[in-house]
Amino acid sequence: MLRLTFLGTSAGVPTKQRNVTALAIECLNTHGTQPNNQSRAANHNNQNKKSRPWLLIDCGEGTQQQLLHTKLSLHQLAAICITHVHGDHCYGLPGLLASAAMSGRRETLTIIAPQAIATLLEAYMITTELYLPFTVNFIAIEEILSEQSDTNKVNIRLSDQHQLDIDITPLSHRVASHAFGITQTIHHRTLNTDKLLAEGIPASALWGKLQQGEDVITEDGQQLCADDYVNDDLSRTRVVVAGDNDTPACLTAALVDTDLLVHEATYTHEVLTKIQAKNPEFDPMHSSAQLVANFVEKSGVNNLILTHFSARYQGFDNPNSKTPNMASIRLDAESVYRGNLWLAADFDQYMVDGAVELVSNQEGCQKKNRVQYIGSARSD
């Protein structure tokens, strides 16, 4: 499962209701063993905090202040991904890193971002004497994309059974902008105890070995093959989070087998057209809600969350109001999209539960992908 928490949903500038862009993605493993042999509760709501590593996608100014209203910990932050260099997506990064240092963080932190972000951080370190007591593993997007191979992705291993793959897709904007494909894979081996008992094989240390995939021999000389008694489940959840982008079709390949797309919808189609016509020499190179929704409808992705709204749109939803509001964005998207649609607000949380299939010798099964709004993350 992936739990998304929107920390900022405004485009360009903050408003009284919305901060600028930031999105937290918690990587939940509701079964299995985490590193250092710490146990996990079966219910995600009861998981130990150390079993909840998370990613931060973009870090607009004020992101660390938003985090104070949630239960997210900078000590559990596994990686930061920056889509592009515009300030509403990265100005909060130096302050957040400084706060992580002051809170006592010592674990290595991965940052996946344009090379210019490394230059920005170096400037802050030189001019403000910013000291980080932890190692920053900086991975430049340009280097990843230059590899030109099927393996040009970043792998983050959370445990032996739990891993993340982060792939990058170039988008179309005024500066180089990117989408991050986040794929969580969890392997879970379940021992078929009923079968063992039915065959007269009592509980013993052999059961544990079977569950770990080892073939064993019983005291009476019977050989037991692990594949005959273990169900190997593979849980895969994938979301794609796009940075600023005026050409949704850039995401065609990235959306294959994707459970959810998070994409900007800065304007309605009518407003975007007026802006482009008013000043032909300047194109903001953003998407309208209708433009994104039309592409996603044709792509077959069933779940779409729109974010990054212009400050001109008020947070309420009233199609009868003369004041531009979220109903304008919603109706623009609904005019062409029939899937599940949400308009993100600050602190909104969504649970994404991907597909589960059997990968052992038994017949495969599939659990329908689903995305669910679960309320506000604001804890005060």
Side-chain angles (χ1 to χ4, degrees):
M1 292 182 182
L2 297 175
R3 177 161 53 202
L4 279 59
T5 302
F6 285 85
L7 300 170
T9 57
S10 183
V13 297
T15 71
K16 291 181 178 180
Q17 292 79 33
R18 299 179 185 273
N19 199 48
V20 284
T21 301
L23 170 63
I25 302 179
E26 291 177 86
C27 309
L28 305 179
N29 181 3
T30 58
H31 48 242
T33 303
Q34 72 174 44
N36 302 323
N37 296 321
Q38 292 173 310
S39 63
R40 282 201 176 120
N43 190 305
H44 67 79
N45 289 323
N46 295 324
Q47 282 184 288
N48 185 285
K49 287 184 178 180
K50 289 189 176 182
S51 68
R52 295 179 179 174
W54 60 284
L55 310 177
L56 180 63
I57 312 296
D58 284 336
C59 187
E61 181 182 359
T63 294
Q64 64 169 317
Q65 179 70 25
Q66 298 288 87
L67 285 171
L68 295 177
H69 298 289
T70 74
K71 296 180 180 180
L72 294 165
S73 168
L74 291 177
H75 288 268
Q76 302 307 321
L77 178 58
I80 299 174
C81 304
I82 304 295
T83 61
H84 65 294
V85 299
H86 280 161
D88 58 328
H89 295 256
C90 68
Y91 281 172
L93 183 57
L96 183 139
L97 294 177
S99 292
M102 294 183 70
S103 72
R105 181 186 176 109
R106 296 296 183 270
E107 299 83 6
T108 298
L109 177 62
T110 295
I111 298 179
I112 306 170
Q115 182 62 47
I117 296 297
T119 304
L120 174 69
L121 292 178
E122 289 172 4
Y124 269 97
M125 290 179 179
I126 293 172
T127 58
T128 71
E129 298 186 1
L130 171 62
Y131 169 70
L132 301 180
F134 51 85
T135 300
V136 172
N137 176 27
F138 190 91
I139 302 175
I141 288 176
E142 294 87 345
E143 293 184 6
I144 298 175
L145 296 179
S146 68
E147 293 177 5
Q148 298 295 324
S149 69
D150 294 335
T151 59
N152 59 350
K153 61 180 66 174
V154 178
N155 175 265
I156 299 178
R157 186 178 180 181
L158 302 176
S159 75
D160 290 341
Q161 297 84 28
H162 188 188
Q163 72 174 29
L164 293 177
D165 290 308
I166 303 175
D167 56 84
I168 302 170
T169 301
L171 302 176
S172 174
H173 191 48
R174 302 193 307 276
V175 298
S177 184
H178 309 86
F180 294 103
I182 313 296
T183 303
Q184 175 182 251
T185 305
I186 299 173
H187 290 270
H188 178 52
R189 300 177 66 87
T190 304
L191 188 65
N192 190 338
T193 57
D194 290 340
K195 182 177 180 180
L196 287 166
L197 292 173
E199 294 181 4
I201 304 169
S204 68
L206 296 181
W207 281 24
K209 293 181 179 180
L210 285 171
Q211 187 163 5
Q212 295 303 316
E214 296 182 33
D215 296 339
V216 299
I217 299 177
T218 64
E219 292 182 357
D220 60 4
Q222 182 180 0
Q223 184 170 354
L224 304 180
C225 180
D227 287 345
D228 294 334
Y229 299 94
V230 175
N231 299 330
D232 190 0
D233 297 342
L234 175 66
S235 173
R236 178 186 178 279
T237 305
R238 176 174 172 82
V239 302
V240 173
V241 182
D244 292 0
N245 178 37
D246 70 351
T247 309
C250 292
L251 292 163
T252 298
L255 292 187
V256 174
D257 295 329
T258 292
D259 301 312
L260 168 70
L261 171 65
V262 178
H263 199 286
E264 63 125 319
T266 308
Y267 314 106
T268 62
H269 193 67
E270 179 183 5
V271 169
L272 178 58
T273 301
K274 288 182 179 179
I275 291 173
Q276 293 170 331
K278 184 177 181 180
N279 187 359
E281 296 181 358
F282 175 76
D283 186 346
M285 298 188 72
H286 284 294
S287 287
S288 69
Q290 183 184 117
L291 183 66
V292 177
N294 186 50
F295 164 73
V296 178
E297 175 71 17
K298 295 176 180 178
S299 74
V301 174
N302 295 322
N303 301 294
L304 172 64
I305 300 179
L306 298 178
T307 184
H308 194 272
F309 307 115
S310 167
R312 74 186 63 205
Y313 299 104
Q314 298 299 307
F316 63 87
D317 188 313
N318 183 358
N320 298 318
S321 174
K322 294 182 180 180
T323 301
N325 63 83
M326 297 314 297
S328 308
I329 296 287
R330 175 176 57 80
L331 293 173
D332 200 47
E334 288 179 345
S335 67
V336 293
Y337 184 61
R338 300 295 176 266
N340 301 314
L341 172 70
W342 297 271
L343 308 185
D346 284 21
F347 302 108
D348 277 358
Q349 283 194 313
Y350 298 85
M351 192 70 75
V352 187
D353 196 359
V356 174
E357 54 184 309
L358 294 177
V359 295
S360 58
N361 293 334
Q362 303 182 25
E363 293 184 6
C365 64
Q366 198 82 7
K367 180 176 65 178
K368 186 178 181 181
N369 302 334
R370 64 180 184 270
V371 178
Q372 182 180 6
Y373 170 70
I374 58 174
S376 174
R378 191 161 184 138
S379 58
D380 55 10

